[in-house]
């Protein structure tokens, strides 16, 4: 294998620049001292932060590298100038980051602008051997990146692999779930190779091949082309099974077990399996007040039979002393009231010390959202008691975030969200959000009180306003209310119940829209929402399912002018098919029931208007809605939407999608569940980004009505269901 060399060997020397900077710094120091001695004063420092620039790694890559430096080296701060230590550390971090991405021989040039206005150009090599003068103060730094070759696998071979498919083994070293096998999906690095070897070895051990060994027998890397040819030899050895497992429990200072249990697992043996079981034994002792419980496991017998090795194990559980809680305290708080924190923890003075219970309290404190760090520590008080301390670091009390999005109907969306944390030192939070698009203006304000009514129940007040140009009318809604939220951890379910009072208005209906029912009304309603999310990822779901539902009960007794009940629910299911293919199924249903005559009790705004990028994709926003006899959109009182989607990964960032959407709807509830069916099929491309998939999709209508489009092109951001 050709030597790749350490980071410093790929960076050029800047010894000459180092000497120049040292001389410049000395001269600046002498001139400054002389001016002070003559009665002069130093110029006040500039309030503008120093400038950091990175180029040569692409638009997105440059931003990522810059964010890495600001996070790791600057802690998110913007200093007035950069010192020598920052320059040297930044060069090493950039080189290491590029190497991790597969660019094993990068070059980095540095351009410095000192506080005196001088410009110095040098490369970033051998900075450890020839460090910059510590008196250096740079007002601006420009790192110019020369990536060099992208090192990638040309060949990856396995010898002796029998227990798992080769495709699975390859997945530990490179991307296997893409249709196009580009270099970016076959990145080679020495560290990545070792991680793959470790992962493959662990996988074999999990299957019971306790003595499995994975050895690199060939590692040829070409510095001219960046191609790597690797061959691995796998020696699986015999498969180990656990025949019996004896558990012995010892009290403090006992030599004979106080309790013995026998278990016959019949499971493959591995160190990881043993570690999991030992942790379970310790956990059981923690709950009983033995925080120092230790478990040791050994093999007492071994026998071979028909190619398998059967083991008999013994685990000794030494409980140690039983400990009570002497005190519970908090450290590191400045703005947060300690009495508030005390009411949020369940560990109490005088009870048996359970580290698991303390860890749950640590999680509860972290969920308040007002701390950057929450840690728990135990300090001895006596031989039989310990103090429990929560070490806290408070977060920033004010945050301002910019919002940006895009949709086929509203087009570009932009706005800002301001957040005030830990108000009154009681973890209260206020959020103010405003969004403007080409079609809508909206604003929301929420004041939340965490763990208000009970230990796991949050209360909130909210107010909102919306003006949105729909297809042929203007939607105006504003109001506010009060509610409570609870997360049911065992069920992984969010529940929200709130009272809302608002004004709904449907104005300026165009000639293509028939506004039927109540066009303006005051609505008092109780709204219940639930969400059960078991997907593996929020932005890019590949496996799992989600259930969501909203029930709205509006009545005159709640302060409004109308009476109706509205339900809308949705479900999605995702499953990987292998080979970078993913199947997604979506199902949505909505129904609104008005008391008596709908024209007197159903606000036009509360009807359903299907169609759009996250609905029936062959139609623009809202235009899959039912039409009356004159061909005008009137909205639906019930609908059912079904979606089937197949996604094929082309590369790590691009994928191809095919979909079919089916909509059943009815203008009147009397025709429930539907009297009209519409169908769309289509496909598109998706680009994977940090904020969600960017989608370009075209839906073709199979049975358009008179006046409907033959199809619609959508460009949007976010997963459709």
């Amino acid at each position: 294998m050709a030597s790749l060399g350490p980071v410093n060997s790929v960076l050029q020397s800047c010894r000459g620049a180092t000497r120049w900077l040292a001389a410049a710094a000395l001269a600046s120091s002498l001139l400054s001292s002389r001016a002070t001695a003559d009665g002069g004063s130093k110029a006040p420092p500039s309030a503008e932060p120093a400038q950091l620039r990175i180029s040569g790694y692409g638009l997105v890559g440059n931003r990522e590298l810059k964010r890495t430096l600001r996070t790791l080296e600057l802690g998110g701060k913007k200093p007035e100038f950069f010192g020598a230590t920052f320059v040297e550390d930044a060069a090493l971090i950039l080189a290491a980051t590029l190497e991790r991405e597969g660019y094993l021989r990068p070059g980095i040039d540095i351009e410095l602008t000192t506080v005196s206005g001088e410009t110095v150009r040098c490369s970033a090599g051998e900075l450890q051997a020839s460090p910059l003068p510590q008196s250096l103060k740079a007002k601006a730094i420009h790192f110019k990146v020369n990536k060099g070759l992208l090192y990638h696998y040309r060949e990856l071979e396995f010898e002796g692999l029998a227990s798992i498919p080769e495709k699975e083994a390859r997945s530990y070293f490179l991307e296997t779930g893409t249709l196009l096998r580009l270099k970016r999906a076959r990145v080679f690095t020495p560290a990545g190779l070792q991680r793959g070897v470790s992962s493959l070895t662990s996988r074999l051990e999990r299957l019971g091949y306790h003595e499995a060994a994975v050895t690199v027998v060939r590692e040829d890397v070409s510095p001219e082309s960046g191609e790597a040819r690797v061959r691995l030899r796998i020696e699986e050895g015999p498969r180990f099974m656990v025949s019996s497992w004896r558990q012995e429990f010892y009290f403090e200072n006992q030599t004979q077990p106080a309790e013995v249990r026998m278990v016959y697992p019949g499971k493959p043996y591995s160190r990881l399996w043993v570690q999991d079981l030992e942790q379970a034994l310790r956990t059981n002792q923690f709950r009983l007040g033995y925080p120092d419980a230790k478990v040791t496991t050994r093999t007492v017998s071994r026998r071979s039979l028909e190619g398998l090795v059967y083991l008999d194990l013994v685990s000794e559980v030494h409980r140690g002393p039983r400990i009570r809680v002497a005190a519970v305290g908090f450290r590191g708080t400045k703005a947060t009231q300690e009495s508030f924190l005390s009411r949020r923890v369940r560990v109490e003075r005088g009870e048996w010390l359970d580290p698991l219970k303390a860890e749950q309290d640590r999680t509860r404190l972290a969920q308040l959202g007002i701390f950057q760090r929450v840690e728990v520590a135990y300090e001895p008080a006596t031989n039989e008691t310990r103090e429990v301390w929560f070490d806290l670091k408070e977060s920033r009390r004010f945050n301002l975030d910019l919002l940006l999005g895009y949709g086929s109907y509203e087009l570009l969306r932009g706005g800002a969200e301001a957040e005030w944390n830990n108000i009154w030192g009681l973890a209260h939070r206020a959020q103010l959000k405003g969004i403007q698009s080409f079609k809508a203006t909206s604003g929301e304000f929420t004041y939340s009180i965490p763990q208000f009514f009970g230990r796991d129940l949050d209360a909130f007040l909210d107010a909102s306003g919306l003006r949105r140009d729909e297809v042929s009318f203007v939607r105006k809604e504003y109001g506010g209310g009060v509610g409570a939220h609870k997360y049911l951890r065992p069920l992984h379910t969010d529940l929200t119940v709130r009272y809302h009072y608002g004004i709904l208005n449907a104005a300026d209906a165009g000639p293509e829209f028939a506004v039927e029912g109540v066009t303006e009304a005051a609505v008092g309603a109780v709204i219940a929402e639930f969400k059960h999310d078991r997907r593996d990822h929020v932005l890019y779901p590949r496996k799992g399912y989600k259930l969501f539902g909203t029930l709205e009960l509006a009545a005159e007794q709640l302060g409004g002018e109308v009476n109706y009940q509205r339900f809308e629910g949705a479900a999605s299911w995702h499953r990987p098919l292998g080979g970078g293919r993913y199947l997604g199924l979506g199902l949505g249903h909505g129904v609104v029931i008005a008391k008596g005559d709908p024209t007197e009790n159903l606000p036009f705004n509360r009807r359903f208007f299907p169609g759009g990028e996250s609905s029936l994709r062959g139609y623009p926003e809202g235009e899959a809605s039912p039409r009356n006899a004159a061909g005008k959109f009137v909205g639906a009182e019930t609908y059912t939407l079904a979606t089937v989607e197949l996604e094929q990964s082309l590369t790590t960032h691009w994928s191809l999608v095919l979909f079919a959407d089916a909509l059943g709807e009815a203008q009147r509830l009397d025709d429930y569940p539907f009297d009209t069916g519409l169908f769309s099929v289509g496909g598109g491309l998706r680009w994977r980004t940090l904020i969600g998939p960017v989608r370009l999709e075209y839906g073709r209508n199979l049975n358009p009505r008179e006046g409907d489009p033959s199809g619609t092109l959508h460009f949007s951001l976010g997963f459709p269901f």
Side-chain angles (χ1 to χ4, degrees):
M1 171 183 174
S3 174
L4 298 177
V7 172
N8 286 336
S9 67
V10 303
L11 302 176
Q12 301 177 16
S13 171
C14 60
R15 290 177 178 173
T18 301
R19 291 194 294 268
W20 189 95
L21 286 170
L26 178 60
S28 176
S29 176
L30 291 174
L31 290 173
S32 176
S33 300
R34 181 175 179 180
T36 303
D38 292 339
S41 61
K42 297 182 180 180
S46 173
E48 296 182 0
Q51 300 299 311
L52 173 63
R53 183 185 174 195
I54 300 176
S55 62
Y57 200 50
L59 179 62
V60 177
N62 293 334
R63 292 178 62 88
E64 287 298 310
L65 291 177
K66 185 175 180 179
R67 186 170 66 175
T68 298
L69 292 184
R70 290 200 178 279
T71 301
L72 296 181
E73 281 297 298
L74 302 175
K77 300 178 181 179
K78 296 182 178 181
E80 183 182 347
F81 56 82
F82 299 116
T85 301
F86 170 79
V87 178
E88 296 164 355
D89 292 348
L92 292 174
I93 291 174
L94 292 178
T97 302
L98 292 169
E99 288 185 6
R100 189 168 58 250
E101 295 294 322
Y103 300 98
L104 301 183
R105 293 179 175 272
I108 302 176
D109 293 326
I110 306 174
E111 182 177 289
L112 304 172
T113 302
T114 66
V115 292
S116 61
E118 300 292 339
T119 300
V120 181
R121 296 178 177 86
C122 65
S123 61
E126 299 182 2
L127 290 181
Q128 291 182 344
S130 301
L132 298 171
Q134 292 302 307
S135 57
L136 169 69
K137 293 183 179 180
K139 196 63 180 173
I141 301 180
H142 182 189
F143 291 98
K144 301 178 181 179
V145 175
N146 180 14
K147 298 183 295 187
L149 288 173
L150 176 63
Y151 284 72
H152 59 281
Y153 282 97
R154 177 68 177 181
E155 296 177 3
L156 179 59
E157 300 175 342
F158 299 91
E159 298 178 1
L161 185 65
S163 60
I164 63 175
E166 181 175 321
K167 185 175 182 180
E168 179 184 347
R170 295 176 68 86
S171 68
Y172 297 117
F173 298 88
L174 44 82
E175 291 282 347
T176 59
T178 58
L179 187 63
L180 304 178
R181 302 298 174 86
L182 304 179
K183 292 181 181 179
R184 290 298 311 168
R186 297 180 283 118
V187 169
F188 168 84
T189 66
L193 174 59
Q194 294 305 314
R195 285 195 301 270
V197 168
S198 177
S199 298
L200 179 55
T201 303
S202 297
R203 172 61 173 148
L204 293 172
E205 289 183 352
R206 281 283 192 183
L207 294 175
Y209 298 96
H210 174 59
E211 298 176 349
V214 181
T215 307
V216 180
V217 296
R218 180 190 180 192
E219 186 180 351
D220 295 335
V221 183
S222 171
E224 289 77 23
S225 64
E227 296 179 343
R229 292 173 169 82
V230 177
R231 181 182 296 117
L232 303 173
R233 178 180 296 128
I234 295 93
E235 298 175 4
E236 295 182 347
R239 194 179 190 195
F240 289 73
M241 303 292 292
V242 180
S243 177
S244 68
W245 182 25
R246 178 184 173 94
Q247 303 170 5
E248 300 178 350
F249 298 86
Y250 295 80
F251 286 108
E252 186 179 12
N253 300 324
Q254 281 188 339
T255 58
Q256 296 297 321
E259 182 182 356
V260 176
R261 301 173 188 169
M262 288 296 299
V263 181
Y264 302 93
K267 300 289 186 180
Y269 171 83
S270 71
R271 285 189 294 267
L272 296 176
W273 181 82
V274 171
Q275 291 172 5
D276 291 342
L277 292 179
E278 288 180 343
Q279 181 60 33
L281 288 174
R282 279 194 296 268
T283 297
N284 292 334
Q285 300 308 309
F286 290 165
R287 293 192 176 99
L288 298 175
Y290 298 97
D292 300 328
K294 297 180 180 179
V295 182
T296 58
T297 303
R298 68 181 189 277
T299 302
V300 295
S301 68
R302 166 177 172 164
R303 59 188 182 279
S304 300
L305 179 64
E306 298 179 353
L308 298 176
V309 177
Y310 291 92
L311 303 178
D312 296 311
L313 308 179
V314 172
S315 290
E316 295 182 358
V317 182
H318 295 271
R319 289 168 166 160
R322 202 174 191 189
I323 303 297
R324 290 192 180 274
V325 178
V328 180
F330 306 90
R331 296 184 295 211
T333 58
K334 297 179 180 178
T336 311
Q337 296 185 24
E338 186 169 323
S339 59
F340 165 77
L341 297 175
S342 298
R343 294 193 298 269
R344 264 74 191 162
V345 300
R346 296 175 178 174
V347 176
E348 297 181 357
R349 181 176 179 270
E351 68 179 11
W352 296 116
L353 175 57
D354 180 1
L356 297 178
K357 191 174 182 180
E359 180 62 25
Q360 292 172 356
D361 285 341
R362 187 196 69 80
T363 302
R364 287 172 51 77
L365 293 176
Q367 290 174 343
L368 291 173
I370 60 175
F371 299 115
Q372 291 184 12
R373 186 184 72 248
V374 182
E375 298 176 351
V376 60
Y378 309 96
E379 296 183 359
T382 66
N383 292 335
E384 298 178 350
T385 62
R386 288 179 193 170
E387 297 175 344
V388 179
W389 288 94
F390 293 95
D391 294 316
L392 312 169
K393 182 178 180 181
E394 295 173 333
S395 302
R396 294 173 55 184
R397 303 193 68 182
F398 177 78
N399 295 295
L400 180 63
D401 297 318
L402 299 180
L403 307 175
L404 185 66
Y406 189 89
S408 297
Y409 181 71
E410 290 194 10
L411 302 178
L412 188 64
R413 296 189 296 266
E417 182 177 33
E419 182 180 69
W420 292 265
N421 292 312
N422 205 12
I423 301 173
W424 319 114
L426 299 174
H428 293 193
R429 178 181 302 169
Q431 293 174 294
L432 179 63
K433 179 168 64 174
I435 298 178
Q436 179 67 56
S437 72
F438 285 90
K439 297 288 187 179
T441 302
S442 65
E444 297 178 11
F445 174 79
T446 303
Y447 188 93
S448 57
I449 306 173
Q451 304 172 16
F452 180 65
F453 296 112
R455 290 181 178 263
D456 294 309
L457 194 65
D458 301 339
F460 63 87
L461 302 169
D462 64 359
S464 62
L466 169 67
R467 185 191 186 281
R468 188 173 191 265
D469 295 334
E470 301 291 357
V471 178
S472 298
F473 77 102
V474 177
R475 181 189 300 271
K476 298 179 181 179
E477 300 178 359
Y478 57 91
V482 59
H485 166 265
K486 182 178 180 62
Y487 179 64
L488 303 176
R489 186 172 303 278
L491 301 178
H492 305 279
T493 301
D494 284 284
L495 292 179
T496 301
V497 178
R498 58 191 172 97
Y499 169 79
H500 183 83
Y501 181 86
I503 304 297
L504 306 183
N505 179 272
D508 303 327
E512 295 300 319
F513 229 88
V515 179
E516 299 184 358
V518 182
T519 59
E520 183 171 4
V523 177
V526 173
I527 302 173
E529 299 175 342
F530 82 93
K531 182 176 69 173
H532 178 72
D533 197 342
R534 300 294 288 162
R535 297 174 299 172
D536 59 342
H537 200 283
V538 176
L539 297 179
Y540 297 95
R542 299 306 192 194
K543 182 172 63 175
Y545 66 93
K546 181 184 75 169
L547 303 174
F548 175 82
T550 301
L551 176 63
E552 181 180 353
L553 305 176
E556 292 177 299
Q557 293 82 355
L558 297 173
E561 301 172 343
V562 290
N563 301 274
Y564 65 87
Q565 300 85 46
R566 189 178 192 267
F567 171 79
E568 189 168 17
S572 64
W573 179 79
H574 308 271
R575 179 182 177 85
L577 301 178
R581 291 181 293 274
Y582 304 93
L583 176 65
L585 304 178
L587 181 65
H589 180 62
V591 59
V592 58
I593 304 171
K595 180 181 178 181
D597 187 354
T599 61
E600 297 179 356
N601 278 292
L602 180 58
F604 189 72
N605 294 33
R606 305 311 288 150
R607 302 177 72 88
F608 300 105
F609 299 92
E613 63 205 36
S614 297
S615 180
L616 194 66
R617 281 171 275 189
Y619 290 81
E621 183 85 8
E623 294 191 16
S625 166
R627 297 172 181 261
N628 63 9
K632 297 182 178 182
F633 299 113
V634 294
E637 293 184 12
T638 178
Y639 81 93
T640 301
L641 176 68
T643 295
V644 179
E645 190 173 274
L646 179 64
E647 184 174 355
Q648 169 67 65
S649 297
L650 301 176
T651 69
T652 54
H653 292 93
W654 290 91
S655 61
L656 175 69
V657 62
L658 300 175
F659 62 83
D661 300 331
L663 173 70
E665 62 183 0
Q667 177 184 347
R668 301 299 182 197
L669 189 62
D670 295 339
D671 298 315
Y672 181 88
F674 52 83
D675 61 1
T676 301
L678 300 175
F679 303 91
S680 298
V681 296
L685 287 172
R686 289 182 185 169
W687 175 38
R688 187 184 182 98
T689 70
L690 293 174
I691 57 176
V694 176
R695 301 156 46 202
L696 179 63
E697 298 169 343
Y698 177 78
R700 176 77 176 183
N701 293 321
L702 300 182
N703 61 333
R705 303 164 299 187
E706 184 178 354
D708 285 349
S710 59
T712 303
L713 181 67
H714 297 282
F715 181 70
S716 57
L717 174 66
F719 202 81
F721 60 90

